[in-house]
Amino acid sequence: MDIRAYLSQGRPLLFDGAMGTYFDALSGRAQGRCDLANLNQPDRIAAIHRAYLDAGCMAIKTNTFTVSRDMAAGEAAQAEQSLDAACRLAREAAEPYGAFVFGDIGPVPQEAEDSAPAEIYCRQAALFLERGITCFLVETLASDEGIPELTAFLKSRCPEAFLIVSFAVGADGFTRGGLSGRTLVRRTAALPEVDAVGFNCVSGPHHLLQLVRTVDVGEKRLSVMPNAGYPTVLGRRTVFGGQPDYFGEQLAEIVRAGASIVGGCCGTTPAHIAQAAAALEKPLPPSVSVAENAPAETAPATNPLWDKLAAGKRVVAVEFDPPADDDIAPFLEGVRALRDAGADAVTIADCPIGRPRADSSLLACKVKRELGMEPLPHMTCRDRNMNATKALLLGLSMEDVHNVLLVTGDPIPTEARDEVKSVFNFNSRKLIRYVAGLNETVFRTPFRLYGALNLNARNFHIQLRLAQEKEANGVSGFLTQPVLSRQALDNLRLARETLHGKILAGIFPVVSHRNACFLNNEIAGMYVCDEIVALYEGKEREEAEALAVKISAEIARQVTPYSDGLYLMTPFRRVGLMCRIIEAL
């Protein structure tokens, strides 16, 4: 029977469980990768297929989940040999049962080139089609990169192909790449060549049940294949403790919630699939709407900084470095002086140049609570994984802080790398995309996200392209590096013509000739033109500060047509100088 005809009968299509974890759990197995067993242990792979078919499934996956990794690593010959054997073993096992065989395509490693996913997915699809496989499951994805290209390829090569696209999300509904599962499913369901879309892996059945009750895939079919609960480590073995009877009951609930294609992922065995088959044979009562128990919505908080920008009023944000010790009094006194001078916001760096300082987000909460001033904390990709990032943002939101500057962050200094390790789960664009996804699903008051824009970059067109990507991922505005040259001003003008978001033009008051030389030679992203450097020669401190006020005010005048406000950077904690500049403006 054709796959679409089978599904049109109104009964769910039950897949097999996990090949990899079941293969690992079998006693007496030889050491080695599961997919290579297609070649060196074909009888064992065939036996696992038959065990799942005996349990009652009507669709099995080829044992090819890791072929994408092999292709990305340049092991194309080995990948094709394994895929060829996997197709033969799955088709021979499925034939007596009249079951469907799906070509299983796993994710391309995240470190692969951006163009790699589309190419690798299409190469595998071509290999499957050559072997008569026309049903496909692309699974455990962290993003939809390469999927539009794959769907177009399949449509052109085999119009009758049936394609399921499945994303791996955690209990919070986000992939390891920081993308919202709901958004990915909605976007993928909109592709006309996709037949079904959904979720698999990472999460157990309970959390995927809660998630699918909140998604809408339109007229497409919903596919859900949970893990058997969550893993624990016993000795050197990873064990899933989810019981088969519970799994079967939960899978039936997932069908009630709208799924028409179900199965199992990591930790599921033939026993889990047998219980699922039995549960799906029973009459399923209608699903209960989750809206009945939904909490009452509360009104979002205000965001004075963004409200002022959105109203077309110019703002002044001043960067003030956090203290390197636990004496916060001078920091608060400085922020108070800046507020009283007329600054609209204070921006707080996140461990600048990779050295530890007081946490920018904790300081932001204190500034908001005790001084009533709008803070704009910086948040780097360094030092926090996804969980820590989300936890910190939740705390900021609770403290009524709703603006954040998201940047990659400086690396850990070389001399400290033996003791201090960096953690980079994201680059700045992916971090922006992650927080934008949280805005859609988690925060009552969405964060306004800002990005950095280096006007002094030699290849500014690359910076501009990255800024456009940031806007596409959710950025509302940019804070630029200082304008201290004609080239930086020209680049600011180009940014205004190209970008849609608000722009706060950077101004750094140079305070001495030595300071100007230091900036040019030792600080990345800074450039002071020769004309300005020359003006500081022979100037004492008071003369230099007066010159800094004059130059900063002139630069502020020049950037006004191309910006929505100013981003002032405080040198050497000279708050008095910054207050003079604000007054001069």
Side-chain angles (χ1 to χ4, degrees):
M1 182 184 296
D2 174 79
I3 182 72
R4 293 179 177 84
Y6 181 94
L7 288 166
S8 68
Q9 296 176 349
R11 51 180 174 171
L13 175 65
L14 178 62
F15 264 79
D16 53 4
M19 172 65 76
T21 55
Y22 189 49
F23 175 85
D24 288 347
L26 293 175
S27 59
R29 72 175 180 90
Q31 295 296 319
R33 285 168 35 186
C34 175
D35 59 306
L36 295 183
N38 296 327
L39 302 171
N40 55 43
Q41 297 185 70
D43 292 343
R44 174 154 291 178
I45 298 302
I48 293 175
H49 282 318
R50 289 193 297 270
Y52 281 119
L53 290 161
D54 287 336
C57 73
M58 281 301 295
I60 62 173
K61 305 180 289 288
T62 58
N63 182 30
T64 51
F65 179 75
T66 57
V67 166
S68 293
R69 302 176 198 172
D70 286 342
M71 286 187 168
E75 301 290 342
Q78 175 179 279
E80 185 168 351
Q81 290 175 5
S82 178
L83 184 144
D84 182 74
C87 291
R88 176 175 50 80
L89 291 170
R91 296 182 74 175
E92 289 176 355
E95 186 175 5
Y97 297 85
F100 301 102
V101 174
F102 277 72
D104 190 30
I105 300 177
V108 175
Q110 284 185 300
E111 61 270 17
E113 296 292 333
D114 290 343
S115 61
E119 178 188 352
I120 291 174
Y121 294 152
C122 292
R123 284 168 59 192
Q124 288 180 76
L127 293 173
F128 281 121
L129 289 172
E130 289 171 6
R131 288 153 181 80
I133 303 292
T134 59
C135 293
F136 297 86
L137 169 64
V138 191
E139 59 154 316
T140 322
L141 302 181
S143 77
D144 56 353
E145 291 180 24
I147 296 302
E149 294 86 350
L150 172 62
T151 62
F153 175 82
L154 279 177
K155 184 71 173 179
S156 65
R157 291 287 297 271
C158 182
E160 69 274 16
F162 189 92
L163 176 62
I164 305 172
V165 180
S166 185
F167 298 96
V169 296
D172 61 354
F174 284 80
T175 73
R176 70 179 185 277
L179 298 178
S180 163
R182 295 179 183 86
T183 300
L184 287 170
V185 161
R186 182 171 64 248
R187 197 157 64 204
T188 305
L191 297 173
E193 301 88 357
V194 171
D195 296 280
V197 64
F199 307 102
N200 76 289
C201 206
V202 181
S203 292
H206 171 77
H207 286 116
L208 286 190
L209 172 60
Q210 302 307 309
L211 179 60
V212 300
R213 284 174 169 164
T214 68
V215 300
D216 181 7
V217 297
E219 297 181 356
K220 300 298 173 69
R221 296 190 178 276
L222 180 62
S223 170
V224 184
M225 303 182 193
N227 284 353
Y230 294 90
T232 57
V233 178
L234 299 178
R236 288 184 293 176
R237 296 177 60 233
T238 300
V239 178
F240 288 81
Q243 296 301 303
D245 55 346
Y246 173 81
F247 181 85
E249 293 169 359
Q250 290 295 103
L251 218 57
E253 287 294 321
I254 288 172
V255 171
R256 285 181 63 201
S260 58
I261 300 171
V262 290
C265 206
C266 295
T268 54
T269 67
H272 291 82
I273 299 306
Q275 288 290 334
L280 294 175
E281 287 295 324
K282 301 175 183 177
L284 299 175
S287 180
V288 178
S289 171
V290 293
E292 295 181 7
N293 297 318
E297 291 190 7
T298 55
T302 59
N303 186 333
L305 177 63
W306 178 255
D307 290 345
K308 187 170 182 178
L309 282 167
K313 299 178 181 178
R314 294 185 65 77
V315 303
V316 174
V318 183
E319 180 170 310
F320 196 44
D321 280 344
D325 55 28
D326 62 352
D327 183 6
I328 196 173
F331 176 82
L332 292 180
E333 290 171 5
V335 173
R336 184 180 291 108
L338 293 170
R339 179 199 64 186
D340 294 345
D344 296 286
V346 60
T347 84
I348 310 169
D350 183 3
C351 294
I353 64 174
R355 290 181 169 85
R357 285 179 175 265
D359 185 85
S360 59
S361 294
L362 290 177
L363 289 176
C365 295
K366 198 168 183 68
V367 165
K368 178 75 174 187
R369 190 186 320 118
E370 297 187 13
L371 301 180
M373 188 176 188
E374 285 301 307
L376 179 56
H378 302 195
M379 184 175 291
T380 70
C381 302
R382 184 198 59 233
D383 304 332
R384 298 183 193 89
N385 61 17
M386 283 175 57
N387 284 350
T389 299
K390 181 178 178 181
L392 193 58
L393 289 165
L394 286 168
L396 286 171
S397 187
M398 292 173 186
E399 289 285 348
D400 205 22
V401 176
H402 304 295
N403 299 286
V404 63
L405 172 69
L406 301 175
V407 293
T408 299
D410 301 311
I412 297 295
T414 304
E415 73 274 8
R417 289 179 190 170
D418 289 340
E419 294 80 28
V420 181
K421 303 300 181 184
S422 295
V423 177
F424 282 96
N425 267 183
F426 304 104
N427 60 34
S428 58
R429 300 182 303 287
K430 291 183 178 180
L431 177 58
I432 290 162
R433 189 171 61 185
Y434 174 58
V435 182
L438 293 175
N439 276 341
E440 295 181 6
T441 58
V442 175
F443 299 120
R444 179 174 53 88
T445 302
F447 278 87
R448 285 294 171 178
L449 310 181
Y450 300 82
L453 180 62
N454 184 4
L455 300 177
N456 301 308
R458 291 187 178 182
N459 297 315
F460 183 66
H461 66 281
I462 295 177
Q463 287 291 311
L464 208 51
R465 176 176 57 79
L466 294 177
Q468 289 176 300
E469 290 183 25
K470 291 176 182 179
E471 284 193 325
N473 288 345
V475 152
S476 297
F478 295 92
L479 277 63
T480 81
Q481 287 285 54
V483 177
L484 289 164
S485 69
R486 170 57 59 179
Q487 185 61 54
L489 182 63
D490 290 342
N491 287 340
L492 177 65
R493 182 187 301 112
L494 181 58
R496 170 56 89 198
E497 295 170 354
T498 306
L499 302 174
H500 303 288
K502 304 295 183 180
I503 298 177
L504 301 187
I507 293 182
F508 186 97
V510 177
V511 294
S512 68
H513 183 266
R514 181 180 179 182
N515 180 217
C517 295
F518 174 79
L519 294 173
N520 276 343
N521 289 278
E522 298 201 37
I523 302 298
M526 301 283 273
Y527 175 66
V528 186
C529 69
D530 293 341
E531 292 82 359
I532 292 179
V533 174
L535 291 174
Y536 283 88
E537 290 187 18
K539 295 289 191 299
E540 298 296 331
R541 174 164 176 158
E542 289 187 8
E543 291 179 299
E545 285 202 358
L547 181 59
V549 173
K550 180 180 178 181
I551 292 174
S552 296
E554 175 59 22
I555 292 173
R557 184 189 65 78
Q558 292 177 5
V559 302
T560 294
Y562 318 117
S563 64
D564 302 281
L566 302 175
Y567 165 40
L568 308 181
M569 300 163 217
T570 307
F572 309 112
R573 307 183 71 82
R574 296 192 189 182
V575 175
L577 171 62
M578 303 311 292
C579 292
R580 289 171 60 190
I581 292 173
I582 294 172
E583 291 167 4
L585 298 177

